[in-house]
Amino acid sequence: NAGVMQNPRHLVRRRGQEARLRCSPMKGHSHVYWYRQLPEEGLKFMVYLQKENIIDESGMPKERFSAEFPKEGPSILRIQQVVRGDSAAYFCASSPPGLAGYEQFFGPGTRLTVL
Amino acid sequence: AQSVTQLGSHVSVSEGALVLLRCNYSSSVPPYLFWYVQYPNQGLQLLLKYTSAATLVKGINGFEAEFKKSETSFHLTKPSAHMSDAAEYFCAVRDSTSGTYKYIFGTGTRLKVLA
């Protein structure tokens, strides 16, 4: 069973461009979480999604950031008009539905660099 | 609100010495607690987890942690440090109050192992 997949692993964007980060959860997992790790800091929760629904986006910046988890395909974290402060590692985690879903499985992350 | 505090952002130990990384939590409900390790430019690897069963939890790579409710602590230990243990370690609590089960991470402790 493949783990959580994220791509790209490294992404370089210039200020003002768009960044699209993809996350494919583990097979059978219907819950996806996105976290951001700024340099020299811990991970901070951004958004929690289930298929076709955003459940909790309390950690998402109000502007430029959006996330989706469509019925088919990976979850996407989209950052519009990137700024240097968006440079960070973005991690996706997935968990299965139901009572067993207390553990999250993390992907390898996407490291975004904004020039 | 639930939170975790990791005392000591940097810890140095000699090879073969005891490793002790501290984590204190705050939670109004019985917590689910986790320790993760992160090697440079890599993702998070689960070391161990506490889910209200045994208070002494054994994990991978010789690590273990003891849940102490009276001290609200979940410190990570390893009897004998190895050079390969040099990494960053994160303590996390699962948020069980908001219904989203997102993880709340500490700020991390960078472990250095001296030859």
Side-chain angles (χ1 to χ4, degrees):
Chain A
N1 189 6
V4 178
M5 312 271 287
Q6 289 189 250
N7 67 79
R9 295 290 306 276
H10 299 274
L11 182 61
V12 179
R13 286 287 178 265
R14 297 190 181 279
R15 281 179 294 168
Q17 292 184 318
E18 178 179 289
R20 280 183 182 245
L21 289 62
R22 294 174 184 77
C23 168
S24 296
M26 289 179 67
K27 187 175 180 181
H29 287 195
S30 56
H31 300 203
V32 166
Y33 301 78
W34 285 94
Y35 296 85
R36 177 166 68 173
Q37 183 180 30
L38 294 169
E40 305 299 318
E41 293 187 17
L43 281 75
K44 295 285 177 61
F45 167 78
M46 299 182 74
V47 62
Y48 162 48
L49 310 102
Q50 296 178 16
K51 286 283 187 180
E52 301 184 277
N53 285 301
I54 297 175
I55 308 301
D56 181 357
E57 56 182 348
S58 59
M60 287 272 274
K62 292 291 185 282
E63 297 177 352
R64 302 186 297 107
F65 284 72
S66 63
E68 63 178 11
F69 188 18
K71 186 176 180 181
E72 301 291 338
S75 175
I76 306 287
L77 179 67
R78 182 182 178 207
I79 311 172
Q80 295 178 290
Q81 299 176 335
V82 296
V83 301
R84 289 224 174 100
D86 297 333
S87 294
Y90 293 81
F91 291 94
C92 166
S94 73
S95 67
L99 293 176
Y102 64 84
E103 181 176 344
Q104 296 176 20
F105 296 81
F106 283 81
T110 293
R111 280 157 181 82
L112 172 66
T113 301
V114 179
L115 302 178
Chain B
Q2 292 173 286
S3 65
V4 291
T5 302
Q6 291 184 244
L7 292 176
S9 58
H10 292 81
V11 171
S12 293
V13 299
S14 298
E15 192 175 18
L18 172 72
V19 175
L20 171 60
L21 304 182
R22 299 178 186 275
C23 174
N24 288 89
Y25 69 90
S26 172
S27 179
S28 57
V29 299
Y32 280 37
L33 295 160
F34 306 83
W35 273 101
Y36 286 88
V37 61
Q38 185 181 34
Y39 296 98
N41 296 316
Q42 294 190 25
L44 297 175
Q45 182 180 11
L46 179 67
L47 282 175
L48 48 80
K49 59 193 177 200
Y50 169 75
T51 58
S52 75
T55 56
L56 182 62
V57 182
K58 294 188 182 297
I60 62 171
N61 302 339
F63 284 94
E64 63 181 37
E66 186 172 7
F67 173 74
K68 291 187 176 181
K69 184 179 179 181
S70 60
E71 298 177 9
T72 61
S73 68
F74 190 56
H75 301 330
L76 182 70
T77 60
K78 182 174 180 178
S80 177
H82 192 273
M83 297 298 287
S84 61
D85 295 326
E88 186 139 27
Y89 292 80
F90 292 97
C91 181
V93 63
R94 191 190 74 165
D95 178 3
S96 301
T97 60
S98 67
T100 64
Y101 304 120
K102 60 181 179 281
Y103 284 13
I104 300 166
F105 285 87
T107 51
T109 298
R110 191 176 299 275
L111 177 65
K112 187 175 181 179
V113 181
L114 307 171

